[in-house]
């Protein structure tokens, strides 16, 4: 563990399910503090993936980052989380958000009010995990005397929000136990997000800890340019869908939209300035990557979770990170 904060590894999505257990064991043995399971639709299940990781490891913290508030009814989500929590006490962090809007729309689940959906889901899940009986009607989710047979028995599992916009960040400060920030977060955005979270915490009168985890696209290579080229392609994939709060705060939304209008993904990949790659990813030589992680931790992140881009070299990347990056953070 870094003296400044925690370093995590993100598994899931582009990583085949059969490779998750081995990668998790290697990550725990290599000194990572956390393993995060992405639930990107329609790749690898986050809850089932977390179950695999918890079974393959013994002590490392496992995070869900993140499951959609609308893909499962909150009572079903609470049931799944309670099962994992009771099976592996004190090891799980639950991350909940709306989910990527395009994927949510593919399932016909995009709510009329995303803010209401996330609020209702998170408050219901926390109540059910605590053993409450819910009898609520008239919202986005109905509960007819729902109570978990096996609620949590130990310390409450942290439920964090994986969100990006100002209103959602304030909501997280109000109702959640921490926040997960998306890949492509600039240092400026991390600082801005922390301010919005604090606004929500002030509204709710909360003074308890509120850890912030920053997800980061991660490419490391002894040849820094090889790593940056890989990160450029992945950054373009994420940014081809248009501006959002992350690009607004970083100040590139207009320039990004021009590139998208010129030719979509290819134009974004080939036309983006090198500075975008430097500021919006963790990519380069081991020393360069360590410096970027240190900057995020110093800028307000309590942990940085790395999403390896070279998934075909996952074992090699874990070893290289453990031997040459983590010691420098």
């Amino acid at each position: 563990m870094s003296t400044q904060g925690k370093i995590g590894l993100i598994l899931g999505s582009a990583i085949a399910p059969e490779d998750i257990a081995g990668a998790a064991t290697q990550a725990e043995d290599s000194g990572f503090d956390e393993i995060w399971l992405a639930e990107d639709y329609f790749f690898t299940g986050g809850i089932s993936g977390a179950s695999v990781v918890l079974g393959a490891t013994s002590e490392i913290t496992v995070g869900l980052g993140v499951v959609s508030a609308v893909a499962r009814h909150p009572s079903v989500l609470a049931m799944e989380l309670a099962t994992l929590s009771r099976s592996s006490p004190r090891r799980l962090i639950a991350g909940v958000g709306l989910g990527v809007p395009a994927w949510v729309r593919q399932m016909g689940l995009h709510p009329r009010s995303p803010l209401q959906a996330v609020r209702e889901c998170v408050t219901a899940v926390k109540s059910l995990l605590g053993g409450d009986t819910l009898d609520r009607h008239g919202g986005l989710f109905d509960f007819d005397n729902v109570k978990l047979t096996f609620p949590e028995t130990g310390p409450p599992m942290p439920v964090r929000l994986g969100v990006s916009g100002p209103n959602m960040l304030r909501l997280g400060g109000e109702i959640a136990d921490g926040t997960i920030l998306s890949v492509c977060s600039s240092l400026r955005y991390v600082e801005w997000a922390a301010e919005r979270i604090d606004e929500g915490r002030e509204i709710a009168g909360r003074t308890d800890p509120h850890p912030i985890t920053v997800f980061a696209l991660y490419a490391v290579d002894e040849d820094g340019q090889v790593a940056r080229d890989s990160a450029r392609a992945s950054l373009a994939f994420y940014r081809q869908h248009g501006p959002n709060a992350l690009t607004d705060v970083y100040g590139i939304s207009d320039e990004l939209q021009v590139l998208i209008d010129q030719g979509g993904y290819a134009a974004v990949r080939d036309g983006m300035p090198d500075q975008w790659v430097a500021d919006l990813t963790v990519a380069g030589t081991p020393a360069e990557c360590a410096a970027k992680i240190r900057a995020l931790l110093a800028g307000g992140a309590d942990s940085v979770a790395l999403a390896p881009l070279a998934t075909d070299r996952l074992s090699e990347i874990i070893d290289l990170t453990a031997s040459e990056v983590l010691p420098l953070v």
Side-chain angles (χ1 to χ4, degrees):
M1 174 178 171
S2 161
T3 57
Q4 299 185 68
K6 297 179 180 180
I7 310 300
L9 181 72
I10 302 174
L11 302 177
S13 294
I15 298 168
E18 61 269 23
D19 295 333
I20 289 176
T25 301
Q26 184 183 2
E28 181 174 50
D29 292 343
S30 297
F32 284 88
D33 302 296
E34 303 170 339
I35 296 174
W36 288 85
L37 279 299
E39 183 165 275
D40 292 336
Y41 306 103
F42 305 91
F43 292 86
T44 300
I47 291 175
S48 52
S51 180
V52 170
V53 172
L54 288 167
T57 57
S58 58
E59 296 182 356
I60 196 168
T61 297
V62 178
L64 286 169
V66 297
V67 296
S68 171
V70 297
R72 303 171 182 83
H73 191 278
S75 58
V76 175
L77 178 56
M79 178 184 68
E80 297 282 11
L81 294 175
T83 299
L84 292 177
S85 179
R86 287 176 64 127
S87 301
S88 301
R90 303 174 185 266
R91 293 186 58 199
L92 189 67
I93 298 170
V96 180
L98 176 66
V100 175
W103 292 332
V104 174
R105 289 191 175 94
Q106 276 185 277
M107 296 183 279
L109 295 174
H110 199 278
R112 59 183 181 271
S113 172
L115 198 70
Q116 181 184 356
V118 174
R119 179 186 289 276
E120 286 189 19
C121 176
V122 170
T123 56
V125 164
K126 288 170 73 73
S127 293
L128 290 166
L129 289 173
D132 294 343
T133 299
L134 295 189
D135 190 29
R136 301 178 183 174
H137 304 275
L140 296 177
F141 305 103
D142 273 9
F143 302 85
D144 187 2
N145 291 311
V146 175
K147 180 180 176 64
L148 295 184
T149 301
F150 299 107
E152 283 195 290
T153 54
M157 175 194 324
V159 180
R160 303 183 185 177
L161 286 199
V163 293
S164 59
N167 291 332
M168 284 286 194
L169 289 164
R170 292 187 189 98
L171 177 66
E174 180 185 346
I175 68 171
D177 306 312
T179 299
I180 302 162
L181 300 183
S182 171
V183 295
C184 312
S185 293
S186 63
L187 180 57
R188 186 182 310 165
Y189 174 79
V190 173
E191 295 168 343
W192 175 87
E195 293 172 356
R196 305 290 81 74
I197 292 165
D198 285 343
E199 291 168 0
R201 286 169 56 77
E202 184 175 354
I203 290 170
R206 297 189 65 162
T207 58
D208 55 325
H210 189 102
I212 295 175
T213 296
V214 178
F215 282 6
L217 298 177
Y218 178 57
V220 62
D221 197 284
E222 298 294 353
D223 184 333
Q225 192 57 50
V226 169
R228 287 185 286 274
D229 288 344
S230 175
R232 170 180 286 271
S234 293
L235 179 59
F237 172 80
Y238 278 90
R239 291 276 58 96
Q240 67 179 319
H241 301 296
N244 61 8
L246 282 77
T247 58
D248 288 346
V249 174
Y250 183 51
I252 62 168
S253 290
D254 291 343
E255 188 176 356
L256 172 64
Q257 190 60 57
V258 169
L259 290 173
I260 293 171
D261 293 342
Q262 287 176 351
Y265 165 75
V268 175
R269 180 196 62 205
D270 298 338
M272 72 169 71
D274 291 342
Q275 195 63 44
W276 293 12
V277 179
D279 292 343
L280 303 181
T281 71
V282 173
T285 64
E288 290 169 337
C289 288
K292 293 178 181 182
I293 294 169
R294 290 197 305 270
L296 288 169
L297 293 172
D302 296 280
S303 63
V304 176
L306 305 171
L309 301 179
T311 55
D312 58 329
R313 299 169 44 230
L314 183 57
S315 179
E316 177 188 341
I317 295 300
I318 293 173
D319 280 343
L320 179 60
T321 303
S323 62
E324 297 191 36
V325 178
L326 296 187
L328 299 178
V329 175

